[in-house]
Amino acid sequence: MKILENKTRAKNALFAAAGLMIAGAWAKFSLQSAAGIFAVAVGAISALFCVKKLFSDGFLEISDDGWIIRKGGKEAKFSFEEASEFALKTIEPKSGVKILIVKFKALDKDKISGLMQPVSDDEAAFFNSYEKSIEEIKNALNENFRAFKRGK
């Protein structure tokens, strides 16, 4: 199962950057304001980063023997043999914000750098930036993890 990165925030930010550029151009030519040039420059730089994000190929792919994470130019494959548990952890009880924690037998921090967030010496968290909810991702990982353990 391949789960793509959620690009909704980048699309919304691109529209905001375009609005900033339009407002800056209006301020520059209608009001003769130097702040308009600054607004156009900031909007253009923001738009470039948004376009870069929209065209990036980020995904999480869950297979029978593990999972692959790709963000930007970095990609890593993790085997279910490396993991010992997948669990949700509530980090903000009032708003119900949860993160997906993977407990590794031996965590390679260089391998997860930029792809997952290290939480402790043997745990890492998934960035919640995919098109499916963190609960759906956890369930899919746990299903394949249990099937992998049964098949060993």
Side-chain angles (χ1 to χ4, degrees), residues 26-131:
W26 176 80
K28 171 62 181 144
F29 295 114
S30 296
L31 304 175
Q32 299 299 314
S33 171
I37 295 171
F38 179 73
V40 169
V42 169
I45 292 168
S46 299
L48 286 174
F49 282 107
C50 291
V51 168
K52 180 182 176 222
K53 177 70 173 176
L54 289 172
F55 286 107
S56 70
D57 184 28
F59 62 85
L60 166 67
E61 186 171 353
I62 303 169
S63 62
D64 294 336
D65 61 342
W67 70 97
I68 299 171
I69 300 175
R70 181 174 189 167
K71 283 188 181 278
K74 187 164 184 185
E75 180 177 319
K77 179 165 178 45
F78 300 90
S79 171
F80 284 129
E81 288 182 2
E82 299 175 54
S84 61
E85 181 184 0
F86 298 93
L88 290 177
K89 182 177 182 182
T90 303
I91 57 171
E92 180 58 43
K94 285 184 180 179
S95 61
V97 175
K98 296 178 182 177
I99 57 173
L100 176 57
I101 301 284
V102 180
K103 186 168 185 146
F104 287 92
K105 294 174 184 168
L107 180 61
D108 182 357
K109 291 190 179 180
D110 291 333
K111 186 176 180 180
I112 68 164
S113 176
L115 300 172
M116 297 175 77
Q117 180 68 40
V119 177
S120 68
D121 290 339
D122 63 347
E123 293 179 333
F126 276 89
F127 295 120
N128 192 6
S129 61
Y130 299 102
E131 290 179 341

